[in-house]
């Protein structure tokens, strides 16, 4: 189970006890915000993309969406989200629980600057009913990203 991989991953850092599990789903930004009683923007959603034959994860604030022009400028091509059925095999986590921790070998993680405006954010922990509260600096420490990027725009819908 993916949450157990994340729990073991965090155990090394002594923070496995910070993982929160809910009786209800937190698989979407809206559901997670409701489960955590916080603003949807503070949910650190992890989006999975195919970049050629590579898999990348981009962690963003819950109130933004990928800006295609910024993505293309950063990665040199059009954004292609992983098909639902490929997410778990390629990332190590099932859709709804994808997070930047304990991912499959070869998966590159990027953090979007949209997260930096918050004191703490809530990424998932490998299941559709889990989260952990981390500062952006802690998120960087534990996610070990390639780098911080700017590939998002505020949602207008």
């Amino acid at each position: 189970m993916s949450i157990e991989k994340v729990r073991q991953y965090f155990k090394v850092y002594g923070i496995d006890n910070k993982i929160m599990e809910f009786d209800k789903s937190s698989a979407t930004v809206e559901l997670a915000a409701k489960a955590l009683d916080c603003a949807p923007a503070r949910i650190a959603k992890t989006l999975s993309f195919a970049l050629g034959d590579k898999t990348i994860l981009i962690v963003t604030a819950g109130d933004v969406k990928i800006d295609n022009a910024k993505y293309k400028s950063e990665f040199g091509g059009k954004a292609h989200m992983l098909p639902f059925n490929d997410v778990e095999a390629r990332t190590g986590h099932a859709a709804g629980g994808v997070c930047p921790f304990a991912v499959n070998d070869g998966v590159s993680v990027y953090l979007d600057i949209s997260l930096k405006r918050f004191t703490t954010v809530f990424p998932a922990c490998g299941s559709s009913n889990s989260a952990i509260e981390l500062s952006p600096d802690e998120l960087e420490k534990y996610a070990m990203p390639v780098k911080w990027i700017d590939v998002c725009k505020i949602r207008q819908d």
Side-chain angles (χ1 to χ4, degrees):
M1 189 176 207
S2 189
I3 190 170
E4 292 308 319
K5 284 187 351 187
V6 174
R7 194 178 312 283
Q8 288 305 117
Y9 180 81
F10 282 145
K11 194 172 198 162
V12 172
Y13 299 101
I15 62 165
D16 53 307
N17 61 336
K18 288 183 65 174
I19 294 174
M20 297 172 271
E21 290 187 81
F22 313 109
D23 293 333
K24 51 191 166 195
S25 176
S26 59
T28 67
V29 168
E30 293 76 21
L31 291 172
K34 188 177 277 193
L36 288 155
D37 193 26
C38 73
R42 288 185 58 213
I43 303 304
K45 64 182 176 182
T46 304
L47 305 171
S48 50
F49 295 89
L51 185 62
D53 60 349
K54 296 180 179 150
T55 300
I56 65 169
L57 299 178
I58 302 175
V59 186
T60 75
D63 63 341
V64 300
K65 64 181 183 176
I66 297 295
D67 180 304
N68 288 322
K70 287 181 176 182
Y71 181 99
K72 187 173 185 177
S73 176
E74 180 68 42
F75 295 108
K78 188 175 178 179
H80 295 285
M81 290 196 74
L82 290 180
F84 182 86
N85 292 335
D86 292 347
V87 171
E88 186 170 12
R90 292 190 57 174
T91 69
H93 304 297
V98 176
C99 65
F101 319 112
V103 297
N104 286 347
D105 289 342
V107 174
S108 297
V109 175
Y110 296 85
L111 302 178
D112 186 77
I113 62 168
S114 60
L115 296 162
K116 288 191 171 190
R117 60 196 153 122
F118 302 106
T119 304
T120 61
V121 294
F122 297 94
C125 289
S127 71
S128 61
N129 67 328
S130 65
I132 190 167
E133 185 173 14
L134 299 171
S135 70
D137 287 343
E138 289 171 321
L139 179 61
E140 181 177 12
K141 176 182 177 179
Y142 301 126
M144 294 183 271
V146 174
K147 64 181 181 173
W148 285 91
I149 58 176
D150 179 8
V151 295
C152 290
K153 60 184 172 185
I154 300 292
R155 297 176 69 100
Q156 300 300 316
D157 49 44

